[in-house]
């Protein structure tokens, strides 16, 4: 359920309206804790830090962030191949303490496997709830997610964040290329409040080819949402075809 003090556009006013000084103090505190935690519990981080000559005692706050080496996916891959560790040395707790195990898309190689504890999952849900609430998602809203890529970490966060708010995610079958056919052919009477856009140009082409007026199918559709890169020109084009606004919940054009 929504926090008692949720206000228009702000899911968690206590955390989202902290003064900048308090935000930076909290960031410093958590950075110091996290560096020590991964160094002591994740072998790949300990290896990377040791090779860079960095110890947890060197990090006292945000002012020391530049001292930390950049961790790349190739570090995890190399550790996985060398040690036969499916988590690439990044797991900090026993597998029995994990709430779920997920993986990346594997676009550039074998998928990268990672696990979330229940606390991790709750943190991700809270972060997505803040983003979705600011975007306009409200309790009771019917919103779409694609079940075909439910393994994706972003989709898991999206769904759990919506549930945290009290919205209702519809796991719609079909791939990212099939959003428009799925919506208009299989669920024309669902009356969604918001629909996720995965392939905007394909979706717009389908709407134009079939002479569809989206609001005639979904009269209560309030907006689309997306994680694609969103230039101003692309946004205007999508909004013109769908006749609804499209805030962005991820990507370089987030709004």
């Amino acid at each position: 359920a929504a926090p008692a003090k949720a206000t228009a556009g702000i899911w968690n006013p206590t955390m989202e309206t902290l003064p900048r000084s308090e935000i930076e103090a909290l960031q410093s505190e958590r950075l110091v804790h996290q560096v020590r935690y991964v160094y002591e519990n994740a072998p790949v981080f300990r290896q990377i830090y040791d090779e860079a000559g960095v110890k947890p005692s060197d990090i006292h706050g945000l002012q020391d962030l530049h001292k930390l080496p950049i961790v790349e996916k190739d570090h995890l891959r190399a550790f996985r191949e060398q040690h036969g560790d499916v988590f690439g040395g990044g797991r900090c707790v026993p597998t029995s303490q994990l709430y779920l195990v997920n993986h990346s898309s594997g676009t550039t190689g074998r998928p990268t496997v990672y696990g979330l504890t229940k606390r991790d999952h709750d943190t991700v849900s809270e972060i997505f709830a803040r983003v979705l609430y600011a975007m306009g998602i409200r309790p009771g809203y019917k919103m779409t997610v694609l079940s075909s890529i439910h393994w994706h970490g972003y989709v898991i966060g999206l769904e759990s964040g919506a549930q945290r708010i009290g919205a209702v995610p519809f796991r719609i079958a079909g791939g990212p290329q099939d959003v428009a056919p799925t919506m208009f052919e299989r669920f024309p009477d669902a009356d969604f409040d918001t629909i996720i856009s995965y392939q905007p140009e394909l979706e717009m082409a389908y709407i134009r080819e079939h002479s569809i007026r989206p609001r005639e199918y979904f009269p209560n559709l309030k907006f689309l949402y997306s994680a694609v890169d969103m230039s101003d020109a692309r946004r205007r084009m999508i909004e013109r075809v769908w006749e609804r606004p499209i805030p962005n919940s991820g990507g370089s054009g987030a709004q």
Side-chain angles (χ1 to χ4, degrees):
K5 295 183 179 180
T7 60
I10 303 178
W11 168 253
N12 188 333
T14 300
M15 296 303 296
E16 295 181 66
T17 62
L18 284 177
R20 171 52 58 182
S21 59
E22 293 185 30
I23 291 175
E24 292 180 355
L26 182 60
Q27 289 172 330
S28 288
E29 176 186 334
R30 291 182 175 179
L31 176 65
V32 170
H33 168 79
Q34 192 67 9
V35 169
R36 181 181 300 109
Y37 180 75
V38 298
Y39 185 85
E40 294 175 352
N41 294 283
V44 71
F45 278 87
R46 183 162 55 251
Q47 175 181 298
I48 294 169
Y49 286 6
D50 284 347
E51 291 175 353
V54 176
K55 300 294 183 184
S57 57
D58 298 327
I59 308 302
H60 304 283
L62 289 178
Q63 69 275 12
D64 297 319
L65 186 61
H66 68 280
K67 297 178 182 179
L68 294 174
I70 295 174
V71 179
E72 300 179 352
K73 190 173 288 188
D74 282 343
H75 287 118
L76 305 179
R77 291 170 174 158
F79 192 97
R80 179 183 64 199
E81 297 304 318
Q82 182 178 357
H83 298 277
D85 179 0
V86 68
F87 293 98
R91 177 172 52 86
C92 293
V93 300
T95 305
S96 60
Q97 294 182 20
L98 295 177
Y99 180 70
L100 62 84
V101 175
N102 209 351
H103 61 85
S104 68
S105 65
T107 303
T108 58
R110 282 178 55 190
T112 301
V113 176
Y114 64 94
L116 298 177
T117 64
K118 182 61 169 64
R119 181 178 179 181
D120 294 333
H121 186 266
D122 289 345
T123 298
V124 171
S125 299
E126 170 67 14
I127 291 170
F128 270 85
R130 296 178 193 179
V131 172
L132 294 175
Y133 200 82
M135 192 171 67
I137 299 294
R138 293 294 182 269
Y141 273 25
K142 293 175 287 184
M143 57 180 284
T144 64
V145 295
L146 291 191
S147 59
S148 61
I149 58 172
H150 191 255
W151 54 266
H152 198 294
Y154 185 89
V155 177
I156 288 178
L158 200 69
E159 182 175 89
S160 62
Q163 292 169 326
R164 197 176 187 92
I165 291 172
V168 183
F170 278 59
R171 290 185 181 179
I172 304 300
Q177 294 78 25
D178 301 323
V179 170
T182 298
M183 296 300 99
F184 297 113
E185 295 175 17
R186 300 182 184 180
F187 299 92
D189 51 358
D191 199 14
F192 295 112
D193 292 282
T194 180
I195 293 172
I196 190 168
S197 173
Y198 282 90
Q199 301 285 343
E201 282 67 35
L202 288 180
E203 296 153 17
M204 289 187 290
Y206 179 92
I207 290 171
R208 287 167 170 159
E209 290 169 3
H210 293 80
S211 300
I212 289 173
R213 294 291 299 276
R215 63 171 143 188
E216 293 179 359
Y217 280 78
F218 308 118
N220 286 312
L221 182 64
K222 299 169 179 63
F223 57 87
L224 278 70
Y225 64 101
S226 184
V228 301
D229 291 340
M230 193 70 69
S231 66
D232 288 341
R234 194 181 198 189
R235 188 188 308 279
R236 287 194 298 269
M237 182 168 55
I238 296 171
E239 292 179 340
R240 185 164 58 248
V241 172
W242 280 88
E243 301 179 291
R244 289 294 183 270
I246 180 167
N248 214 24
S249 61
S252 64
Q255 175 179 317

